[in-house]
Amino acid sequence: MRLWWVLSLAFLPANFALLLRRVAYVVQLPSSSAGFTASSPQRTSSRSSIVMRSTARTGREFTFGKRKTAMARVFVRPGNGVYTVNGRDAWEYFGNDSKAFYTAFGPLIELKVEDQYNVEAFAKGSGLVSQAGAVSLGVARGLDRLQPNYHGLLRKYQWLTSDGRNVERKKVGLHSARRRHQYSKR
């Protein structure tokens, strides 16, 4: 995301300044640009210029993951390997299903850093397997933001690739997406 202007809160009305504080993104400017001038925009990479507010306040990385109609808000922070989904232990939430657990936390397991990060996820929609896929994408994105040197491995193992497959819509005149009515000869 390119920022072509820089706002100074000193010259804005009080109600507009409150609105800006509620925005989810906080702009991090380099220390050399302390002048706050709109005539000289700072060009930096999108990774270093914009940081989520939750990261600045609490030291954890906040990301989203999606799979089919499931969505997951994922918080990744350095820790000792505690995984929770919707306030419950992840192993318990996925019903002791090792495949769903590995799908959800595969990026950590694949990089052999499962005991170095804590993950807190809030998943909703679809089923457990799709929620596990959404959590997986969120975990991979969070790891990518926390440790940019993992980006190549996460890309290589396709953990950062969103699965775009979805349910095909029902067509008019058919039973479902492709199922036709039974042919009657007579």
Side-chain angles (χ1 to χ4, degrees):
M1 178 180 208
R2 293 185 177 138
L3 298 174
W4 296 104
W5 46 268
V6 178
L7 293 176
S8 172
L9 294 178
F11 299 110
L12 295 175
N15 58 352
F16 192 70
L18 285 173
L19 177 71
L20 283 178
R21 286 191 196 111
R22 291 184 181 152
V23 174
Y25 295 103
V26 175
V27 177
Q28 279 189 336
L29 296 174
S31 58
S32 63
S33 64
F36 293 107
T37 59
S39 61
S40 60
Q42 297 292 325
R43 286 190 177 207
T44 56
S45 70
S46 61
R47 282 191 184 191
S48 63
S49 63
I50 297 177
V51 178
M52 299 297 268
R53 176 171 283 167
S54 61
T55 304
R57 240 188 337 211
T58 61
R60 62 185 181 179
E61 199 55 58
F62 169 70
T63 55
F64 280 99
K66 290 175 77 174
R67 171 77 178 100
K68 293 185 182 178
T69 58
M71 267 193 70
R73 291 179 297 142
V74 181
F75 296 91
V76 180
R77 75 175 71 136
N80 54 359
V82 177
Y83 307 139
T84 60
V85 180
N86 292 346
R88 294 165 50 189
D89 179 54
W91 190 255
E92 174 193 326
Y93 182 80
F94 291 120
N96 297 330
D97 183 6
S98 60
K99 184 178 178 185
F101 185 85
Y102 177 78
T103 300
F105 302 104
L108 293 165
I109 297 167
E110 199 74 41
L111 295 173
K112 296 178 177 58
V113 293
E114 61 266 16
D115 55 346
Q116 297 175 17
Y117 293 97
N118 290 351
V119 177
E120 185 180 4
F122 300 94
K124 64 178 181 180
S126 200
L128 283 180
V129 174
S130 293
Q131 286 181 2
V135 169
S136 170
L137 185 58
V139 166
R141 286 177 175 170
L143 275 176
D144 187 33
R145 285 188 185 170
L146 283 173
Q147 294 290 334
N149 56 339
Y150 290 153
H151 182 80
L153 287 171
L154 290 169
R155 206 29 98 195
K156 177 183 173 187
Y157 296 122
Q158 297 182 350
W159 291 111
L160 291 173
T161 304
S162 177
D163 192 349
R165 294 177 297 170
N166 237 327
V167 177
E168 191 175 343
R169 78 172 197 87
K170 181 193 178 303
K171 311 315 188 284
V172 176
L174 301 182
H175 279 298
S176 59
R178 299 188 182 191
R179 171 79 172 104
R180 294 183 171 275
H181 295 284
Q182 183 173 358
Y183 173 72
S184 174
K185 190 170 183 178
R186 291 180 182 81

